[in-house]
PDB file of all heavy atoms in Angstrom:
ATOM      1  N   VAL A 414     -39.801  42.084-111.117  1.00 93.00           N
ATOM      2  CA  VAL A 414     -39.258  40.831-111.623  1.00 93.00           C
ATOM      3  C   VAL A 414     -37.747  40.891-111.467  1.00 93.00           C
ATOM      4  O   VAL A 414     -37.094  41.800-112.010  1.00 93.00           O
ATOM      5  CB  VAL A 414     -39.626  40.607-113.096  1.00 93.00           C
ATOM      6  CG1 VAL A 414     -38.908  39.368-113.634  1.00 93.00           C
ATOM      7  CG2 VAL A 414     -41.122  40.429-113.247  1.00 93.00           C
ATOM      8  N   TYR A 415     -37.207  39.934-110.726  1.00 91.00           N
ATOM      9  CA  TYR A 415     -35.742  39.873-110.611  1.00 91.00           C
ATOM     10  C   TYR A 415     -35.224  38.794-111.553  1.00 91.00           C
ATOM     11  O   TYR A 415     -35.682  37.641-111.542  1.00 91.00           O
ATOM     12  CB  TYR A 415     -35.325  39.528-109.173  1.00 91.00           C
ATOM     13  CG  TYR A 415     -33.833  39.326-109.061  1.00 91.00           C
ATOM     14  CD1 TYR A 415     -32.966  40.422-109.117  1.00 91.00           C
ATOM     15  CD2 TYR A 415     -33.268  38.049-108.962  1.00 91.00           C
ATOM     16  CE1 TYR A 415     -31.600  40.245-109.049  1.00 91.00           C
ATOM     17  CE2 TYR A 415     -31.918  37.867-108.890  1.00 91.00           C
ATOM     18  CZ  TYR A 415     -31.066  38.961-108.938  1.00 91.00           C
ATOM     19  OH  TYR A 415     -29.718  38.770-108.886  1.00 91.00           O
ATOM     20  N   ASP A 416     -34.297  39.179-112.391  1.00 87.00           N
ATOM     21  CA  ASP A 416     -33.718  38.274-113.401  1.00 87.00           C
ATOM     22  C   ASP A 416     -32.295  37.928-112.974  1.00 87.00           C
ATOM     23  O   ASP A 416     -31.407  38.795-112.993  1.00 87.00           O
ATOM     24  CB  ASP A 416     -33.730  38.934-114.768  1.00 87.00           C
ATOM     25  CG  ASP A 416     -33.455  37.962-115.901  1.00 87.00           C
ATOM     26  OD1 ASP A 416     -32.640  37.038-115.688  1.00 87.00           O
ATOM     27  OD2 ASP A 416     -34.051  38.120-116.984  1.00 87.00           O
ATOM     28  N   VAL A 417     -32.090  36.676-112.612  1.00 80.00           N
ATOM     29  CA  VAL A 417     -30.766  36.257-112.130  1.00 80.00           C
ATOM     30  C   VAL A 417     -29.728  36.281-113.252  1.00 80.00           C
ATOM     31  O   VAL A 417     -28.520  36.374-112.989  1.00 80.00           O
ATOM     32  CB  VAL A 417     -30.844  34.842-111.518  1.00 80.00           C
ATOM     33  CG1 VAL A 417     -31.704  34.842-110.289  1.00 80.00           C
ATOM     34  CG2 VAL A 417     -31.362  33.826-112.523  1.00 80.00           C
ATOM     35  N   ARG A 418     -30.175  36.176-114.488  1.00 80.00           N
ATOM     36  CA  ARG A 418     -29.234  36.129-115.605  1.00 80.00           C
ATOM     37  C   ARG A 418     -28.585  37.487-115.834  1.00 80.00           C
ATOM     38  O   ARG A 418     -27.411  37.570-116.203  1.00 80.00           O
ATOM     39  CB  ARG A 418     -29.944  35.657-116.877  1.00 80.00           C
ATOM     40  CG  ARG A 418     -30.576  34.284-116.775  1.00 80.00           C
ATOM     41  CD  ARG A 418     -31.565  34.027-117.888  1.00 80.00           C
ATOM     42  NE  ARG A 418     -32.643  35.013-117.915  1.00 80.00           N
ATOM     43  CZ  ARG A 418     -33.663  35.016-118.769  1.00 80.00           C
ATOM     44  NH1 ARG A 418     -33.706  34.087-119.718  1.00 80.00           N
ATOM     45  NH2 ARG A 418     -34.619  35.939-118.721  1.00 80.00           N
ATOM     46  N   GLU A 419     -29.348  38.561-115.627  1.00 82.00           N
ATOM     47  CA  GLU A 419     -28.849  39.899-115.907  1.00 82.00           C
ATOM     48  C   GLU A 419     -28.632  40.698-114.637  1.00 82.00           C
ATOM     49  O   GLU A 419     -28.164  41.840-114.697  1.00 82.00           O
ATOM     50  CB  GLU A 419     -29.851  40.635-116.814  1.00 82.00           C
ATOM     51  CG  GLU A 419     -30.111  39.944-118.133  1.00 82.00           C
ATOM     52  CD  GLU A 419     -31.201  40.634-118.944  1.00 82.00           C
ATOM     53  OE1 GLU A 419     -31.728  41.659-118.448  1.00 82.00           O
ATOM     54  OE2 GLU A 419     -31.513  40.170-120.038  1.00 82.00           O
ATOM     55  N   ASN A 420     -28.969  40.110-113.502  1.00 82.00           N
ATOM     56  CA  ASN A 420     -28.871  40.811-112.220  1.00 82.00           C
ATOM     57  C   ASN A 420     -29.649  42.118-112.266  1.00 82.00           C
ATOM     58  O   ASN A 420     -29.182  43.171-111.835  1.00 82.00           O
ATOM     59  CB  ASN A 420     -27.400  41.082-111.869  1.00 82.00           C
ATOM     60  CG  ASN A 420     -27.236  41.443-110.405  1.00 82.00           C
ATOM     61  OD1 ASN A 420     -27.990  40.990-109.551  1.00 82.00           O
ATOM     62  ND2 ASN A 420     -26.251  42.273-110.092  1.00 82.00           N
ATOM     63  N   THR A 421     -30.872  42.015-112.782  1.00 85.00           N
ATOM     64  CA  THR A 421     -31.737  43.186-112.879  1.00 85.00           C
ATOM     65  C   THR A 421     -33.038  42.948-112.115  1.00 85.00           C
ATOM     66  O   THR A 421     -33.505  41.821-112.001  1.00 85.00           O
ATOM     67  CB  THR A 421     -32.087  43.510-114.342  1.00 85.00           C
ATOM     68  OG1 THR A 421     -32.698  42.383-114.942  1.00 85.00           O
ATOM     69  CG2 THR A 421     -30.833  43.914-115.105  1.00 85.00           C
ATOM     70  N   GLN A 422     -33.594  44.047-111.667  1.00 88.00           N
ATOM     71  CA  GLN A 422     -34.859  43.989-110.935  1.00 88.00           C
ATOM     72  C   GLN A 422     -35.747  45.078-111.522  1.00 88.00           C
ATOM     73  O   GLN A 422     -35.497  46.273-111.320  1.00 88.00           O
ATOM     74  CB  GLN A 422     -34.607  44.217-109.443  1.00 88.00           C
ATOM     75  CG  GLN A 422     -35.835  44.017-108.568  1.00 88.00           C
ATOM     76  CD  GLN A 422     -35.473  43.928-107.100  1.00 88.00           C
ATOM     77  OE1 GLN A 422     -34.875  42.947-106.674  1.00 88.00           O
ATOM     78  NE2 GLN A 422     -35.814  44.944-106.338  1.00 88.00           N
ATOM     79  N   ARG A 423     -36.777  44.683-112.276  1.00 90.00           N
ATOM     80  CA  ARG A 423     -37.585  45.632-113.028  1.00 90.00           C
ATOM     81  C   ARG A 423     -38.995  45.695-112.473  1.00 90.00           C
ATOM     82  O   ARG A 423     -39.577  44.671-112.123  1.00 90.00           O
ATOM     83  CB  ARG A 423     -37.617  45.241-114.498  1.00 90.00           C
ATOM     84  CG  ARG A 423     -36.235  45.235-115.170  1.00 90.00           C
ATOM     85  CD  ARG A 423     -36.337  44.893-116.620  1.00 90.00           C
ATOM     86  NE  ARG A 423     -35.020  44.885-117.251  1.00 90.00           N
ATOM     87  CZ  ARG A 423     -34.398  45.956-117.733  1.00 90.00           C
ATOM     88  NH1 ARG A 423     -34.986  47.138-117.641  1.00 90.00           N
ATOM     89  NH2 ARG A 423     -33.227  45.868-118.297  1.00 90.00           N
ATOM     90  N   PRO A 424     -39.591  46.891-112.371  1.00 93.00           N
ATOM     91  CA  PRO A 424     -40.916  47.011-111.769  1.00 93.00           C
ATOM     92  C   PRO A 424     -42.030  46.535-112.694  1.00 93.00           C
ATOM     93  O   PRO A 424     -41.979  46.727-113.904  1.00 93.00           O
ATOM     94  CB  PRO A 424     -41.036  48.514-111.507  1.00 93.00           C
ATOM     95  CG  PRO A 424     -40.168  49.145-112.565  1.00 93.00           C
ATOM     96  CD  PRO A 424     -39.021  48.189-112.759  1.00 93.00           C
ATOM     97  N   ILE A 425     -43.023  45.897-112.100  1.00 93.00           N
ATOM     98  CA  ILE A 425     -44.274  45.623-112.822  1.00 93.00           C
ATOM     99  C   ILE A 425     -45.454  46.227-112.089  1.00 93.00           C
ATOM    100  O   ILE A 425     -46.506  46.426-112.681  1.00 93.00           O
ATOM    101  CB  ILE A 425     -44.491  44.105-113.048  1.00 93.00           C
ATOM    102  CG1 ILE A 425     -44.499  43.348-111.733  1.00 93.00           C
ATOM    103  CG2 ILE A 425     -43.463  43.527-113.991  1.00 93.00           C
ATOM    104  CD1 ILE A 425     -44.850  41.878-111.909  1.00 93.00           C
ATOM    105  N   VAL A 426     -45.308  46.514-110.784  1.00 94.00           N
ATOM    106  CA  VAL A 426     -46.284  47.318-110.062  1.00 94.00           C
ATOM    107  C   VAL A 426     -45.481  48.388-109.335  1.00 94.00           C
ATOM    108  O   VAL A 426     -44.765  48.100-108.366  1.00 94.00           O
ATOM    109  CB  VAL A 426     -47.094  46.473-109.061  1.00 94.00           C
ATOM    110  CG1 VAL A 426     -48.082  47.397-108.307  1.00 94.00           C
ATOM    111  CG2 VAL A 426     -47.855  45.372-109.783  1.00 94.00           C
ATOM    112  N   VAL A 427     -45.555  49.620-109.813  1.00 94.00           N
ATOM    113  CA  VAL A 427     -44.752  50.685-109.273  1.00 94.00           C
ATOM    114  C   VAL A 427     -45.209  51.012-107.851  1.00 94.00           C
ATOM    115  O   VAL A 427     -46.407  51.097-107.588  1.00 94.00           O
ATOM    116  CB  VAL A 427     -44.863  51.941-110.168  1.00 94.00           C
ATOM    117  CG1 VAL A 427     -44.095  53.110-109.559  1.00 94.00           C
ATOM    118  CG2 VAL A 427     -44.335  51.620-111.550  1.00 94.00           C
ATOM    119  N   PRO A 428     -44.282  51.165-106.918  1.00 95.00           N
ATOM    120  CA  PRO A 428     -44.682  51.447-105.543  1.00 95.00           C
ATOM    121  C   PRO A 428     -45.441  52.746-105.425  1.00 95.00           C
ATOM    122  O   PRO A 428     -45.230  53.689-106.209  1.00 95.00           O
ATOM    123  CB  PRO A 428     -43.364  51.476-104.782  1.00 95.00           C
ATOM    124  CG  PRO A 428     -42.313  51.756-105.812  1.00 95.00           C
ATOM    125  CD  PRO A 428     -42.807  51.117-107.057  1.00 95.00           C
ATOM    126  N   GLN A 429     -46.303  52.798-104.425  1.00 94.00           N
ATOM    127  CA  GLN A 429     -47.137  53.968-104.192  1.00 94.00           C
ATOM    128  C   GLN A 429     -47.036  54.365-102.730  1.00 94.00           C
ATOM    129  O   GLN A 429     -47.196  53.517-101.842  1.00 94.00           O
ATOM    130  CB  GLN A 429     -48.595  53.659-104.560  1.00 94.00           C
ATOM    131  CG  GLN A 429     -49.553  54.828-104.359  1.00 94.00           C
ATOM    132  CD  GLN A 429     -50.987  54.445-104.736  1.00 94.00           C
ATOM    133  OE1 GLN A 429     -51.233  53.391-105.329  1.00 94.00           O
ATOM    134  NE2 GLN A 429     -51.931  55.290-104.382  1.00 94.00           N
ATOM    135  N   GLU A 430     -46.758  55.613-102.477  1.00 94.00           N
ATOM    136  CA  GLU A 430     -46.561  56.093-101.117  1.00 94.00           C
ATOM    137  C   GLU A 430     -47.803  55.767-100.269  1.00 94.00           C
ATOM    138  O   GLU A 430     -48.932  56.017-100.677  1.00 94.00           O
ATOM    139  CB  GLU A 430     -46.318  57.595-101.114  1.00 94.00           C
ATOM    140  CG  GLU A 430     -45.620  58.104 -99.869  1.00 94.00           C
ATOM    141  CD  GLU A 430     -44.168  57.655 -99.801  1.00 94.00           C
ATOM    142  OE1 GLU A 430     -43.420  57.888-100.785  1.00 94.00           O
ATOM    143  OE2 GLU A 430     -43.782  57.074 -98.769  1.00 94.00           O
ATOM    144  N   GLY A 431     -47.571  55.199 -99.079  1.00 93.00           N
ATOM    145  CA  GLY A 431     -48.646  54.889 -98.148  1.00 93.00           C
ATOM    146  C   GLY A 431     -49.254  53.524 -98.316  1.00 93.00           C
ATOM    147  O   GLY A 431     -50.155  53.149 -97.561  1.00 93.00           O
ATOM    148  N   PHE A 432     -48.745  52.752 -99.315  1.00 95.00           N
ATOM    149  CA  PHE A 432     -49.295  51.415 -99.550  1.00 95.00           C
ATOM    150  C   PHE A 432     -48.169  50.374 -99.638  1.00 95.00           C
ATOM    151  O   PHE A 432     -47.024  50.712 -99.910  1.00 95.00           O
ATOM    152  CB  PHE A 432     -50.119  51.374-100.854  1.00 95.00           C
ATOM    153  CG  PHE A 432     -51.417  52.129-100.738  1.00 95.00           C
ATOM    154  CD1 PHE A 432     -51.490  53.460-101.097  1.00 95.00           C
ATOM    155  CD2 PHE A 432     -52.563  51.498-100.263  1.00 95.00           C
ATOM    156  CE1 PHE A 432     -52.678  54.168-100.996  1.00 95.00           C
ATOM    157  CE2 PHE A 432     -53.763  52.183-100.165  1.00 95.00           C
ATOM    158  CZ  PHE A 432     -53.818  53.529-100.504  1.00 95.00           C
ATOM    159  N   ILE A 433     -48.550  49.134 -99.421  1.00 96.00           N
ATOM    160  CA  ILE A 433     -47.637  47.997 -99.545  1.00 96.00           C
ATOM    161  C   ILE A 433     -48.211  47.042-100.596  1.00 96.00           C
ATOM    162  O   ILE A 433     -49.375  46.643-100.489  1.00 96.00           O
ATOM    163  CB  ILE A 433     -47.469  47.275 -98.188  1.00 96.00           C
ATOM    164  CG1 ILE A 433     -46.698  48.142 -97.202  1.00 96.00           C
ATOM    165  CG2 ILE A 433     -46.782  45.932 -98.382  1.00 96.00           C
ATOM    166  CD1 ILE A 433     -46.628  47.547 -95.804  1.00 96.00           C
ATOM    167  N   TYR A 434     -47.412  46.706-101.588  1.00 97.00           N
ATOM    168  CA  TYR A 434     -47.769  45.672-102.548  1.00 97.00           C
ATOM    169  C   TYR A 434     -46.995  44.405-102.190  1.00 97.00           C
ATOM    170  O   TYR A 434     -45.762  44.414-102.122  1.00 97.00           O
ATOM    171  CB  TYR A 434     -47.403  46.124-103.978  1.00 97.00           C
ATOM    172  CG  TYR A 434     -48.224  47.289-104.473  1.00 97.00           C
ATOM    173  CD1 TYR A 434     -47.781  48.606-104.294  1.00 97.00           C
ATOM    174  CD2 TYR A 434     -49.416  47.074-105.165  1.00 97.00           C
ATOM    175  CE1 TYR A 434     -48.527  49.682-104.758  1.00 97.00           C
ATOM    176  CE2 TYR A 434     -50.170  48.144-105.648  1.00 97.00           C
ATOM    177  CZ  TYR A 434     -49.722  49.444-105.431  1.00 97.00           C
ATOM    178  OH  TYR A 434     -50.463  50.508-105.885  1.00 97.00           O
ATOM    179  N   THR A 435     -47.722  43.349-101.995  1.00 97.00           N
ATOM    180  CA  THR A 435     -47.065  42.128-101.501  1.00 97.00           C
ATOM    181  C   THR A 435     -47.851  40.906-101.968  1.00 97.00           C
ATOM    182  O   THR A 435     -48.830  41.013-102.730  1.00 97.00           O
ATOM    183  CB  THR A 435     -46.980  42.184 -99.961  1.00 97.00           C
ATOM    184  OG1 THR A 435     -46.238  41.061 -99.485  1.00 97.00           O
ATOM    185  CG2 THR A 435     -48.352  42.195 -99.309  1.00 97.00           C
ATOM    186  N   GLU A 436     -47.417  39.722-101.523  1.00 96.00           N
ATOM    187  CA  GLU A 436     -48.093  38.448-101.791  1.00 96.00           C
ATOM    188  C   GLU A 436     -48.235  38.197-103.297  1.00 96.00           C
ATOM    189  O   GLU A 436     -49.248  37.657-103.756  1.00 96.00           O
ATOM    190  CB  GLU A 436     -49.464  38.412-101.135  1.00 96.00           C
ATOM    191  CG  GLU A 436     -49.484  38.638 -99.649  1.00 96.00           C
ATOM    192  CD  GLU A 436     -49.175  37.377 -98.850  1.00 96.00           C
ATOM    193  OE1 GLU A 436     -48.980  36.313 -99.473  1.00 96.00           O
ATOM    194  OE2 GLU A 436     -49.100  37.480 -97.614  1.00 96.00           O
ATOM    195  N   VAL A 437     -47.243  38.581-104.094  1.00 96.00           N
ATOM    196  CA  VAL A 437     -47.383  38.487-105.540  1.00 96.00           C
ATOM    197  C   VAL A 437     -47.182  37.043-106.017  1.00 96.00           C
ATOM    198  O   VAL A 437     -46.280  36.342-105.568  1.00 96.00           O
ATOM    199  CB  VAL A 437     -46.392  39.432-106.237  1.00 96.00           C
ATOM    200  CG1 VAL A 437     -44.950  39.102-105.854  1.00 96.00           C
ATOM    201  CG2 VAL A 437     -46.580  39.396-107.745  1.00 96.00           C
ATOM    202  N   VAL A 438     -48.039  36.599-106.953  1.00 96.00           N
ATOM    203  CA  VAL A 438     -47.898  35.308-107.610  1.00 96.00           C
ATOM    204  C   VAL A 438     -48.257  35.478-109.079  1.00 96.00           C
ATOM    205  O   VAL A 438     -48.965  36.419-109.470  1.00 96.00           O
ATOM    206  CB  VAL A 438     -48.815  34.227-106.990  1.00 96.00           C
ATOM    207  CG1 VAL A 438     -48.448  33.961-105.540  1.00 96.00           C
ATOM    208  CG2 VAL A 438     -50.286  34.619-107.098  1.00 96.00           C
ATOM    209  N   SER A 439     -47.773  34.558-109.890  1.00 94.00           N
ATOM    210  CA  SER A 439     -48.050  34.626-111.325  1.00 94.00           C
ATOM    211  C   SER A 439     -49.077  33.569-111.713  1.00 94.00           C
ATOM    212  O   SER A 439     -49.174  32.513-111.070  1.00 94.00           O
ATOM    213  CB  SER A 439     -46.761  34.411-112.117  1.00 94.00           C
ATOM    214  OG  SER A 439     -46.357  33.050-112.040  1.00 94.00           O
ATOM    215  N   GLY A 440     -49.790  33.854-112.789  1.00 93.00           N
ATOM    216  CA  GLY A 440     -50.757  32.896-113.316  1.00 93.00           C
ATOM    217  C   GLY A 440     -50.198  32.006-114.389  1.00 93.00           C
ATOM    218  O   GLY A 440     -50.958  31.438-115.197  1.00 93.00           O
ATOM    219  N   SER A 441     -48.888  31.836-114.438  1.00 91.00           N
ATOM    220  CA  SER A 441     -48.264  30.994-115.437  1.00 91.00           C
ATOM    221  C   SER A 441     -48.393  29.515-115.049  1.00 91.00           C
ATOM    222  O   SER A 441     -48.569  29.183-113.882  1.00 91.00           O
ATOM    223  CB  SER A 441     -46.801  31.351-115.609  1.00 91.00           C
ATOM    224  OG  SER A 441     -46.109  31.240-114.375  1.00 91.00           O
ATOM    225  N   GLN A 442     -48.298  28.655-116.043  1.00 91.00           N
ATOM    226  CA  GLN A 442     -48.384  27.219-115.773  1.00 91.00           C
ATOM    227  C   GLN A 442     -47.068  26.721-115.212  1.00 91.00           C
ATOM    228  O   GLN A 442     -46.003  27.280-115.457  1.00 91.00           O
ATOM    229  CB  GLN A 442     -48.716  26.466-117.048  1.00 91.00           C
ATOM    230  CG  GLN A 442     -50.120  26.756-117.579  1.00 91.00           C
ATOM    231  CD  GLN A 442     -50.497  25.824-118.715  1.00 91.00           C
ATOM    232  OE1 GLN A 442     -49.808  24.861-119.017  1.00 91.00           O
ATOM    233  NE2 GLN A 442     -51.625  26.143-119.363  1.00 91.00           N
ATOM    234  N   ARG A 443     -47.156  25.647-114.426  1.00 92.00           N
ATOM    235  CA  ARG A 443     -45.949  24.989-113.890  1.00 92.00           C
ATOM    236  C   ARG A 443     -46.170  23.501-113.824  1.00 92.00           C
ATOM    237  O   ARG A 443     -47.319  23.022-113.902  1.00 92.00           O
ATOM    238  CB  ARG A 443     -45.580  25.557-112.536  1.00 92.00           C
ATOM    239  CG  ARG A 443     -46.689  25.549-111.517  1.00 92.00           C
ATOM    240  CD  ARG A 443     -46.347  26.437-110.318  1.00 92.00           C
ATOM    241  NE  ARG A 443     -47.485  26.659-109.458  1.00 92.00           N
ATOM    242  CZ  ARG A 443     -47.597  26.251-108.201  1.00 92.00           C
ATOM    243  NH1 ARG A 443     -46.606  25.540-107.658  1.00 92.00           N
ATOM    244  NH2 ARG A 443     -48.660  26.504-107.478  1.00 92.00           N
ATOM    245  N   ALA A 444     -45.074  22.773-113.705  1.00 94.00           N
ATOM    246  CA  ALA A 444     -45.151  21.315-113.707  1.00 94.00           C
ATOM    247  C   ALA A 444     -45.915  20.795-112.508  1.00 94.00           C
ATOM    248  O   ALA A 444     -45.801  21.318-111.392  1.00 94.00           O
ATOM    249  CB  ALA A 444     -43.746  20.716-113.739  1.00 94.00           C
ATOM    250  N   LEU A 445     -46.680  19.745-112.741  1.00 96.00           N
ATOM    251  CA  LEU A 445     -47.459  19.122-111.670  1.00 96.00           C
ATOM    252  C   LEU A 445     -46.542  18.224-110.850  1.00 96.00           C
ATOM    253  O   LEU A 445     -45.856  17.372-111.386  1.00 96.00           O
ATOM    254  CB  LEU A 445     -48.598  18.308-112.258  1.00 96.00           C
ATOM    255  CG  LEU A 445     -49.741  17.930-111.326  1.00 96.00           C
ATOM    256  CD1 LEU A 445     -50.537  19.167-110.939  1.00 96.00           C
ATOM    257  CD2 LEU A 445     -50.654  16.910-112.009  1.00 96.00           C
ATOM    258  N   PRO A 446     -46.496  18.416-109.512  1.00 97.00           N
ATOM    259  CA  PRO A 446     -45.666  17.538-108.694  1.00 97.00           C
ATOM    260  C   PRO A 446     -46.203  16.119-108.676  1.00 97.00           C
ATOM    261  O   PRO A 446     -47.331  15.837-109.141  1.00 97.00           O
ATOM    262  CB  PRO A 446     -45.760  18.156-107.281  1.00 97.00           C
ATOM    263  CG  PRO A 446     -46.266  19.545-107.499  1.00 97.00           C
ATOM    264  CD  PRO A 446     -47.117  19.493-108.726  1.00 97.00           C
ATOM    265  N   VAL A 447     -45.425  15.229-108.140  1.00 97.00           N
ATOM    266  CA  VAL A 447     -45.851  13.841-107.948  1.00 97.00           C
ATOM    267  C   VAL A 447     -47.035  13.806-107.007  1.00 97.00           C
ATOM    268  O   VAL A 447     -47.115  14.556-106.026  1.00 97.00           O
ATOM    269  CB  VAL A 447     -44.683  13.004-107.387  1.00 97.00           C
ATOM    270  CG1 VAL A 447     -45.152  11.600-107.013  1.00 97.00           C
ATOM    271  CG2 VAL A 447     -43.538  12.948-108.385  1.00 97.00           C
ATOM    272  N   VAL A 448     -47.997  12.940-107.266  1.00 97.00           N
ATOM    273  CA  VAL A 448     -49.127  12.745-106.368  1.00 97.00           C
ATOM    274  C   VAL A 448     -48.810  11.599-105.412  1.00 97.00           C
ATOM    275  O   VAL A 448     -48.521  10.483-105.846  1.00 97.00           O
ATOM    276  CB  VAL A 448     -50.425  12.432-107.160  1.00 97.00           C
ATOM    277  CG1 VAL A 448     -51.564  12.097-106.196  1.00 97.00           C
ATOM    278  CG2 VAL A 448     -50.811  13.610-108.023  1.00 97.00           C
TER     279      VAL A 448
END
Side-chain angles (χ1 to χ4, degrees):
V414 173
Y415 174 74
D416 194 324
V417 295
R418 301 165 301 182
E419 301 175 0
N420 196 31
T421 57
Q422 187 166 290
R423 299 182 180 276
I425 57 175
V426 179
V427 176
Q429 180 181 349
E430 201 71 52
F432 289 92
I433 291 174
Y434 293 91
T435 185
E436 304 277 358
V437 59
V438 297
S439 72
S441 57
Q442 293 189 9
R443 53 194 168 115
L445 198 69
V447 173
V448 174

